[in-house]
Amino acid sequence: MIPTSPAPAWRRFAAIVYDVLAVVAIVMVVGLLSQMVTGGHLFDDHGRMLTWWYQPLQGLVVGAYFLASWMRGGQTLGMRPWRIRVTDASGAPVNGKRGLVRLIVAALPLALVLIYPFTSMKAALWAPVIGWLVLLLPAWFDRRHRAIHDMVAGTEIRRLPT
């Protein structure tokens, strides 16, 4: 199946809603396995994390989900029902370099949680959401409906033929 024209931005946003559910499931499974490995001692009685590796592991597993999905068929679970796929500008599958650049740029807003020591927890949790909205905003106006991470990586979201 060869992707056709650029997908409208609303399809991308609909797929993101589905992908959030997939990411929550992945995070829950990694959390469960981590709790099993540590004998239930990931956190102390005050909610402080006791292991240095838990958050990086979560990030690596979620990142691997997206990267593997984009490189193996070009679709995450959320993209399948909306019949869209990540490709390069010519419609070819995404290679490792483009996929990794796309992943890194798309994940940059997560660094905004680091504002927590200087602000409230609420502000620190909303900051990445606002960052992702900024990254996605150009998809509504760009002729090819590309978000910033697509522009940087040289990728597009394309509709699949019906």
Side-chain angles (χ1 to χ4, degrees), residues 18-32 58 62 77:
Y18 283 42
D19 278 328
V20 165
L21 298 174
V23 167
V24 167
I26 291 167
V27 166
M28 290 174 67
V29 169
V30 171
L32 173 65
Q58 288 282 15
V62 171
L77 291 173

Side-chain angles (χ1 to χ4, degrees), residues 24-43 53-54 57-58:
V24 167
I26 291 167
V27 166
M28 290 174 67
V29 169
V30 171
L32 173 65
L33 294 174
S34 298
Q35 287 283 17
M36 291 169 66
V37 165
T38 63
H41 298 293
L42 273 177
F43 301 93
W53 50 265
Y54 178 65
L57 176 65
Q58 288 282 15

Side-chain angles (χ1 to χ4, degrees), residues 88 97-99 101-103 105 148-155:
D88 70 8
K97 181 181 176 185
R98 285 189 196 281
V101 168
R102 187 174 199 270
L103 179 66
V105 174
I148 291 173
H149 51 280
D150 292 312
M151 293 175 190
V152 172
T155 58

Side-chain angles (χ1 to χ4, degrees), residues 54-79:
Y54 178 65
Q55 288 176 317
L57 176 65
Q58 288 282 15
L60 285 172
V61 173
V62 171
Y65 159 72
F66 283 105
L67 192 58
S69 296
W70 297 334
M71 292 176 60
R72 290 188 64 229
Q75 293 178 296
T76 61
L77 291 173
M79 295 171 137

Side-chain angles (χ1 to χ4, degrees), residues 75-134:
Q75 293 178 296
T76 61
L77 291 173
M79 295 171 137
R80 291 176 187 207
W82 296 102
R83 304 196 43 78
I84 58 177
R85 173 171 290 165
V86 179
T87 69
D88 70 8
S90 68
V94 174
N95 62 28
K97 181 181 176 185
R98 285 189 196 281
L100 192 57
V101 168
R102 187 174 199 270
L103 179 66
I104 290 168
V105 174
L108 283 176
L110 283 173
L112 293 172
V113 298
L114 297 175
I115 68 171
Y116 175 61
F118 311 106
T119 186
S120 69
M121 176 64 83
K122 184 177 179 181
L125 293 175
W126 274 104
V129 174
I130 293 167
W132 281 315
L133 290 174
V134 169

